[in-house]
Amino acid sequence: MTKPNFQATTRKDLLAYMLEHRNDDEAFYALMDKVNAEPAGEFYPAPQSIDDLKHFPQLLEKFRQEREDESRS
């Protein structure tokens, strides 16, 4: 059985492969390389006042949309 080309495999497909082949160290390290290569997500400061919380629904929706877009790719 030949292994897939991990560098050419999408993160989502590589994760699925790794979950089926949990003892494949090469797949695990390839997945971790892909995870570490991605840019860090946005960080938001903690709300300091009630007014800061007014923007929370928009930030939450933006986060949900990004996660949904990520799961499609």
Side-chain angles (χ1 to χ4, degrees), residues 12-73:
K12 182 178 177 182
D13 291 340
L14 184 53
L15 176 60
Y17 173 88
M18 205 200 82
L19 291 173
E20 291 178 16
H21 303 89
R22 293 177 187 263
N23 294 327
D24 190 337
D25 290 340
E26 186 180 352
F28 172 76
Y29 289 120
L31 179 61
M32 292 301 101
D33 288 343
K34 287 185 180 286
V35 168
N36 289 330
E38 292 179 358
E42 291 184 50
F43 293 95
Y44 301 100
Q48 300 296 316
S49 68
I50 297 297
D51 290 334
D52 289 347
L53 291 175
K54 289 179 183 178
H55 300 289
F56 182 75
Q58 292 88 358
L59 293 174
L60 183 59
E61 182 58 34
K62 181 180 177 185
F63 174 75
R64 286 181 178 160
Q65 186 64 43
E66 288 172 358
R67 296 291 297 199
E68 185 177 306
D69 292 345
E70 184 179 288
S71 68
R72 290 182 188 160
S73 54

